[in-house]
């Protein structure tokens, strides 16, 4: 008897339909065809044990399992339940009338219990798009799948529950999640608040500008000056995720296997902080079985690179293209996968190897030229993509002893949202540009028009401070963002002067 069940394969951050055909005929043997990997082939042993523990008879017939399309490699343990239900239907131990109306995915334990799998959200989205009635997944994955509307979602604990569901002898409770209510409930649940930061008002102002214009920023300062503390609070001042951004972000984290049982939707902007020993593959994604990397997990959020010069140069260089294109392409012999990677880069570094260059009270012990060599570990092209450079200083004890809390993240976020609204209106007819940091040279000339006084200020700054030519457009974009924070229609001299102060590392005097 031939029975078909429905599954899905994850490719990139999307799912592709997979039809599992099970044919049981006289003979003896168990064969899985259709480019299965080792984990899929090993499902035969898991299924046999699960049958015995669940009270089903292990077939003593010839079982052939074909996974179509046969030229797509099938990976992982998520097909265990799909194959097992197909065998039960083909051997007559379970009714098979409704099988093709459901997508069935899950990993089986030897005792017949179901274990959670990766990529349930894209699988559920694909199930709805192909017109399926519902999806059956392990119970810990049910809430994640249930955020997809117009699809019945059932979370099962074990193989017998699923078999009873199709036999009509038992029922699995349908999981229902109100997507919009769930999104609204978690929208502003931020762990960190700028009100907890004492002092560092200039740095806070710089990070507010970065959030308002989508600019990348780097903080340079001695150990203990609060760089990491400030960076962790960046998601709290960025504009809230839209529902479509939330679904997109959740999809990436689902494929990476980072969703927990109680999670259904990621409603706050992600914050990723990989250690400086991270490999280039771990950062941008890829591998033998391509998976999203840290820059994709930071999509729609913040990627924080602490101790920037300590990262391997090859790791930092692979960031250049994704920072410009807002996506990363992983090419393999048989496929090309594209992962989204629209993130804000916040970096931090010590000013020198010992950490105390320009410190107000502690003398730097580095040898001559060491500061410049330390800075040169970060390439010019990468630094060129960082708009804001800000120096952090140790917080004086008088500031630390203050009882009063600083300005809250909510208050800062209100100004940021207002500035982003101005930019949304500005770029409404420009495809792919949503904030000032994404402007190219043409748009910069169009929207950052300078008066004669402003041009004179720029010329003076370039000559006196030794700013590099690549800093010119960056300064204009930052000045445009500062003007937006004040709702000013044009860039004025004060906006320009403030923007110039945020280019510390471009100055010829730095490190000498």
């Amino acid at each position: 008897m031939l029975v078909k069940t429905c599954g899905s394969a994850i490719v990139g951050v999307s799912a592709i339909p997979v039809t599992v055909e099970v044919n049981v005929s006289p003979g003896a043997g168990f064969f899985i065809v259709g480019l299965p990997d080792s984990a899929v082939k090993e499902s035969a042993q898991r299924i046999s044990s699960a049958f015995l523990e669940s009270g089903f008879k292990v077939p003593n017939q010839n079982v052939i399992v074909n996974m179509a399309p046969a030229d797509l490699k099938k990976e992982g343990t998520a097909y265990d339940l799909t194959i097992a239900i197909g065998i039960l239907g083909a051997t007559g131990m379970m009714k098979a009338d409704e099988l093709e109306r459901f997508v069935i995915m899950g990993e089986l334990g030897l005792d017949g219990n179901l274990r959670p799998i990766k990529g349930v959200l894209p699988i559920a989205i694909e199930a709805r798009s192909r017109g399926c009635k519902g999806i059956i997944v392990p119970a810990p994955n049910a809430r994640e799948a249930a955020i997809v509307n117009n699809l019945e979602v059932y979370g099962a604990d074990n193989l017998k529950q699923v078999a009873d569901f199709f036999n009509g002898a038992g029922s699995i409770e349908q999981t229902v999640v109100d997507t919009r209510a769930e999104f609204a409930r978690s929208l502003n649940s931020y762990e960190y608040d700028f009100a907890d930061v004492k002092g560092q008002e200039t740095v806070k102002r710089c990070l507010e500008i970065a959030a308002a214009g989508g600019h990348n920023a780097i903080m340079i300062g001695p150990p203990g000056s609060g760089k990491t503390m400030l960076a962790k609070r960046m998601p709290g001042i960025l504009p809230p995720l839209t529902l479509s951004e939330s679904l997109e972000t959740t999809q990436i984290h689902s494929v990476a296997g980072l969703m927990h049982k109680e999670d259904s939707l990621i409603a706050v902007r992600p914050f990723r902080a990989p250690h400086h020993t991270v490999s280039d593959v771990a950062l941008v994604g890829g591998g033998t079985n391509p998976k999203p990397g840290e820059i994709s997990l930071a999509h729609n959020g913040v990627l924080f690179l602490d101790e920037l010069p300590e990262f391997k140069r090859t790791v930092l260089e692979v960031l250049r293209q994704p920072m410009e294109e807002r996506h990363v392409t992983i090419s393999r012999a048989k496929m090309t996968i594209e992962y989204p990677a629209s993130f804000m880069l916040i970096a931090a570094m010590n000013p020198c190897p010992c950490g105390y260059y320009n410190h107000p009270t502690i003398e730097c012990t580095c040898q001559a030229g060491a500061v410049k060599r330390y800075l040169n570990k970060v390439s010019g092209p990468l630094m060129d993509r960082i708009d804001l450079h800000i120096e952090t200083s140790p917080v004086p004890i008088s500031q630390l002893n203050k009882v009063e809390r600083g300005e809250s993240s909510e208050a800062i976020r209100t100004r940021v949202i207002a500035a982003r609204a101005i930019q949304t209106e500005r770029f409404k007819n420009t495809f792919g540009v949503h904030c000032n940091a994404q402007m190219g040279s043409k748009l910069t000339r169009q929207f950052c028009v300078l008066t004669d006084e402003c041009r004179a200020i720029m010329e003076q700054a370039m000559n006196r401070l030794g700013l590099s030519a690549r800093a010119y457009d960056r300064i204009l974009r930052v000045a445009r963002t500062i003007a937006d924070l004040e709702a000013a229609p044009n860039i004025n001299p004060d906006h320009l002067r403030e923007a110039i102060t945020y280019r510390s590392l471009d100055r010829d005097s730095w490190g000498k």
Side-chain angles (χ1 to χ4, degrees):
M1 182 178 176
L2 176 64
V3 166
K4 296 180 181 179
T5 55
C6 300
S8 291
I10 300 296
V11 178
V13 292
S14 301
I16 295 177
V18 171
T19 301
V20 177
E21 302 170 322
V22 180
N23 190 20
V24 177
S25 58
F30 191 108
F31 305 96
I32 302 179
V33 296
L35 280 184
D37 70 353
S38 296
V40 178
K41 292 177 182 177
E42 291 168 355
S43 65
Q45 285 72 37
R46 290 190 293 272
I47 291 170
S48 296
S49 177
F51 274 19
L52 291 172
E53 295 295 325
S54 303
F56 299 112
K57 182 182 178 181
V58 178
N60 57 357
Q61 298 166 284
N62 191 56
V63 178
I64 300 177
V65 179
N66 179 47
M67 309 180 76
D71 60 347
L72 175 68
K73 190 170 183 63
K74 318 304 184 304
E75 300 169 345
T77 57
Y79 299 103
D80 289 358
L81 184 60
T82 321
I83 296 171
I85 292 298
I87 295 173
L88 290 176
T91 55
M93 288 185 280
M94 187 195 77
K95 293 180 181 178
D97 303 342
E98 294 279 305
L99 283 184
E100 292 190 58
R101 301 186 65 190
F102 288 85
V103 170
I104 306 167
M105 299 289 286
E107 178 186 341
L108 280 173
L110 295 182
D111 56 359
N113 288 331
L114 292 175
R115 293 172 178 163
I117 60 174
K118 299 178 182 179
V120 167
L121 179 56
I123 291 172
I125 293 171
E126 188 277 322
R128 183 181 63 181
S129 67
R130 74 160 102 166
C132 290
K133 178 183 178 182
I135 180 173
I136 298 175
V137 293
N141 296 124
R143 283 182 56 80
E144 180 185 337
I147 67 174
V148 179
N149 298 323
N150 304 318
L151 185 73
E152 295 180 11
V153 177
Y154 298 94
D157 292 316
N158 53 61
L159 174 62
K160 193 172 188 312
Q161 276 189 352
V162 181
D164 289 345
F165 174 81
F166 286 107
N167 283 331
S171 63
I172 308 172
E173 186 177 349
Q174 182 179 346
T175 303
V176 179
V177 172
D178 186 334
T179 306
R180 294 189 179 278
E182 186 80 8
F183 177 68
R185 181 181 62 83
S186 307
L187 193 58
N188 294 314
S189 57
Y190 295 102
E191 182 179 358
Y192 302 105
D193 196 304
F194 265 98
D196 300 325
V197 180
K198 303 291 182 68
Q200 301 292 14
E201 298 304 324
T202 303
V203 185
K204 291 180 189 177
R205 168 66 175 174
C206 178
L207 295 181
E208 178 183 339
I209 294 168
H215 303 284
N216 301 318
I218 183 169
M219 294 177 282
I220 314 102
S225 57
K227 301 186 292 295
T228 303
M229 185 180 186
L230 288 158
K232 286 182 177 180
R233 284 153 177 76
M234 279 301 294
I237 65 171
L238 289 171
L241 285 171
T242 63
L243 184 56
S244 61
E245 287 176 332
S246 177
L247 288 168
E248 189 178 30
T249 304
T250 305
Q251 200 166 332
I252 297 170
H253 285 245
S254 175
V255 170
L258 298 179
M259 300 296 290
H260 302 293
K261 179 180 179 179
E262 64 277 4
D263 294 336
S264 59
L265 199 62
I266 293 177
V268 296
R269 295 189 180 273
F271 178 86
R272 303 295 298 182
H275 192 260
H276 61 75
T277 57
V278 68
S279 68
D280 50 354
V281 172
L283 190 67
V284 302
T288 305
N289 302 322
K291 301 295 179 186
E294 290 290 338
I295 63 173
S296 294
L297 295 173
H299 180 63
N300 291 325
V302 175
L303 177 68
F304 177 51
L305 301 183
D306 200 4
E307 304 298 344
L308 188 67
E310 302 301 329
F311 284 78
K312 289 184 291 187
R313 193 178 184 92
T314 54
V315 171
L316 294 179
E317 292 308 297
V318 298
L319 280 175
R320 288 160 52 180
Q321 183 264 343
M323 288 172 67
E324 291 289 334
E325 303 295 332
R326 305 283 172 174
H327 67 264
V328 59
T329 302
I330 308 296
S331 297
R332 294 293 179 265
K334 294 184 178 180
M335 69 174 71
T336 299
I337 298 172
E338 185 175 293
Y339 293 116
S342 180
F343 59 89
M344 176 186 291
L345 175 65
I346 302 296
M349 60 178 286
N350 292 332
C352 65
C354 79
Y356 295 105
Y357 177 76
N358 274 352
H359 194 282
T361 59
I362 302 177
E363 184 179 353
C364 175
T365 60
C366 297
Q367 297 179 350
V371 177
K372 200 69 175 177
R373 286 194 299 272
Y374 188 70
L375 180 61
N376 286 340
K377 289 184 178 182
V378 184
S379 71
L382 177 62
M383 196 64 74
D384 183 38
R385 289 163 172 80
I386 300 178
D387 295 349
L388 295 160
H389 311 159
I390 183 70
E391 295 181 58
T392 63
S393 301
V395 181
I397 188 64
S398 58
Q399 293 281 349
L400 292 175
N401 281 335
K402 281 188 176 180
V403 178
E404 301 85 5
R405 287 165 59 86
E407 188 177 27
S408 69
S409 292
E410 185 178 357
I412 299 173
R413 185 168 63 248
T414 300
R415 296 194 294 269
V416 169
I417 292 172
R420 285 288 185 105
I422 294 171
Q423 293 165 50
T424 299
E425 178 65 22
R426 176 181 299 138
F427 303 123
K428 64 181 179 181
N429 297 321
T430 307
F431 177 77
V433 178
H434 308 288
C435 56
N436 290 335
Q438 297 173 355
M439 287 192 292
S441 295
K442 183 178 179 181
L443 290 176
T444 302
R445 299 294 179 270
Q446 180 180 349
F447 295 115
C448 302
V449 179
L450 300 181
T451 63
D452 291 340
E453 182 182 1
C454 288
R455 280 194 290 272
I457 292 171
M458 282 297 294
E459 183 176 352
Q460 185 180 33
M462 299 290 286
N463 292 331
R464 291 185 60 183
L465 301 178
L467 298 177
S468 64
R470 65 174 179 257
Y472 188 87
D473 279 1
R474 304 283 170 181
I475 291 172
L476 295 186
R477 292 169 198 158
V478 172
R480 179 66 267 174
T481 299
I482 296 171
D484 290 342
L485 282 167
E486 297 180 3
N490 298 307
I491 297 173
N492 67 37
D494 288 339
H495 303 148
L496 206 57
R497 291 188 185 99
E498 183 177 1
I500 291 169
T501 64
Y502 299 132
R503 297 299 300 185
S504 301
L505 297 183
D506 275 329
R507 300 174 185 175
D508 286 343
S509 59
W510 181 268
K512 290 185 178 178

